Amino acid sequence: MIQQDLALEEDARQLKMQWWREARFGLFIHWGLYAVAAGEWKGQPFDGVSEWIMKRMAVPVAEYEELAGQFNPIGFDAEAWVGLAKAAGMKYIVITAKHHDGFAMYGSASSPYNIVDATPYGCDPLKALAEACAKEDIRLCFYYSQFQDWHHPDAGGNDWDYPDAAGKDFERYMQEKALPQMRELLTQYGPIGLIWFDTPMSLTEDQSRRFAELVRGLQPNCLINSRVGHQYHDYASTGDNMIPSDVFDTDWEVPATLNHTWGYKKADDNWKSPVQLVKLLVDINRKGGNYLLNVGPRGDGTIPEGSVRILEEVGAWMRVNSEAIYGTVPCPTFPYLMPWCGFTHKPGKLYLHVYEWRGGNRVIFGLGSPVKRAYLLAEPEKEIEFVHNSAGMNLSQQLSRLILTLPQLTPDPIATVIVLEYEGELKTEPLKP
Ligand code: JFZ
């Protein structure tokens, strides 16, 4: 390729990544037949993540299929789901169009094993979601398990109904189910923000490439996560709930759970608190990542009240403070740990998320860029007094010292954000012996 084409391609890439980089916070939804089982099989509880029940308990296809007959999510309300994402300050939704169990959560002409044709419900929730998302300006995205499909005899994963590994013809599964379904998802639901592939396992490079090419051919602006396999992606998904320990200089996203499971599980009430979630969001954003936070709706179509309440509390914080989240770019670490606060960053502005507020002086060591102004994000007219001494003035530690004089106030129950406007490039200083 000639130089100019490369430059154009790079521009196009920057352009198509833009909404996703700006977003920083998304809603993951794991919803499927496993929500009906809710983490129990024949009265026996199961201790893994709910959507793996079929495999972990080696449930035969014919038995698992019976869940479809009981799946009637009349409580499903697309507008309420999208409204929840919006209220939480999330900019995109990734929903399981087909998880490893092979059941399509939309009306698929390529396989009758889908919510429209195989359940008493008979409606297509993804259609409703696509409409609600378009109205609310939320990007709709699809999770699609491209390799594992425990329902299809030729796909990956099911070794209890289909133990003859050598007899499997993965190509057949790809041609008759996976590729046609991807095509349906990319042609019948409007613009799709991204396709979230998962568990590529033994996909060959050629197979990963064909999945990626199908997406790119049908929707050139649709992003692809790294679980497509073989580096055909636009951005990296880290391991589930795995957060890099420092700035990670690429486009990346942490898929994470609100409790322990992804799909709905009756017995899992291990909710993270709104404070924990905001701390995670801030930490992930500081390091340059997006946070894709999951809810697992029930078999009746409702989202557990526990998760709704928590997301609404995060949303209340976001309504005041989202400027410190959207469009943030990585922020280098400071020389000393400061457990009382977190940081996010945009060119010219450093946001200090104070988790433990107290009035009086607080010192930040090692901010090398001159601070021009400090104020509360919630009340920009409230200037915060400060003295900023550059490194040369501190003989003992050789570090710049920013002394903020914080007012007495009733802090935000989650985090009170201070904006520090600085000059030039953001510089932090290392510890020196
Ligand atoms: C996968 C799925 O198996 C799981 O059910 C869920 O959908 C989750 C979001 O993704 O699980 C994984 C996949 C990759 C890793 C961990 C769990 N990983 O790379 O660490």
Side-chain angles (χ1 to χ4, degrees), residues 74-154:
I74 50 171
F76 168 69
D77 177 345
E79 287 181 6
W81 288 20
V82 174
L84 178 63
K86 184 121 181 170
M90 294 154 156
K91 297 285 196 182
Y92 58 113
I93 293 179
V94 184
I95 182 161
T96 47
K98 186 200 83 173
H99 204 268
H100 308 330
D101 64 3
F103 185 75
M105 289 295 288
Y106 69 98
S108 171
S110 320
S111 158
Y113 194 47
N114 73 69
I115 186 165
V116 175
D117 297 314
T119 74
Y121 184 59
C123 307
D124 183 338
L126 302 195
K127 275 260 147 71
L129 281 173
E131 277 162 32
C133 281
K135 247 190 255 164
E136 295 293 337
D137 202 21
I138 297 275
R139 303 259 179 172
L140 180 64
C141 312
F142 293 138
Y143 169 110
Y144 191 87
S145 175
Q146 80 277 32
F147 176 77
Q148 293 197 72
D149 185 315
W150 304 329
H151 191 261
H152 197 288
D154 292 301

Side-chain angles (χ1 to χ4, degrees), residues 24-46:
R24 301 278 89 153
F25 195 23
L27 181 66
F28 213 168
I29 303 177
H30 274 68
W31 197 38
L33 292 180
Y34 38 82
V36 178
E40 279 180 16
W41 198 255
K42 296 185 175 161
Q44 243 193 286
F46 148 74

Side-chain angles (χ1 to χ4, degrees), residues 28 30 49 51-52 96 99-100 143 148 150 196-200 227 237-240 242 255-257 262-263 294:
F28 213 168
H30 274 68
V49 287
E51 70 284 1
W52 274 77
T96 47
H99 204 268
H100 308 330
Y143 169 110
Q148 293 197 72
W150 304 329
W196 217 92
F197 289 105
D198 202 7
T199 62
R227 294 192 192 171
S237 299
T238 64
D240 303 356
M242 304 284 269
T257 51
W262 299 93
N294 181 75

Side-chain angles (χ1 to χ4, degrees), residues 359-385:
N361 286 356
R362 283 216 114 146
V363 186
I364 292 172
F365 290 96
L367 173 57
S369 327
V371 172
K372 294 192 289 192
R373 240 194 107 194
Y375 55 92
L376 291 176
L377 182 55
E379 292 169 271
E381 67 286 354
K382 272 210 181 139
E383 300 276 340
I384 290 177
E385 283 175 51

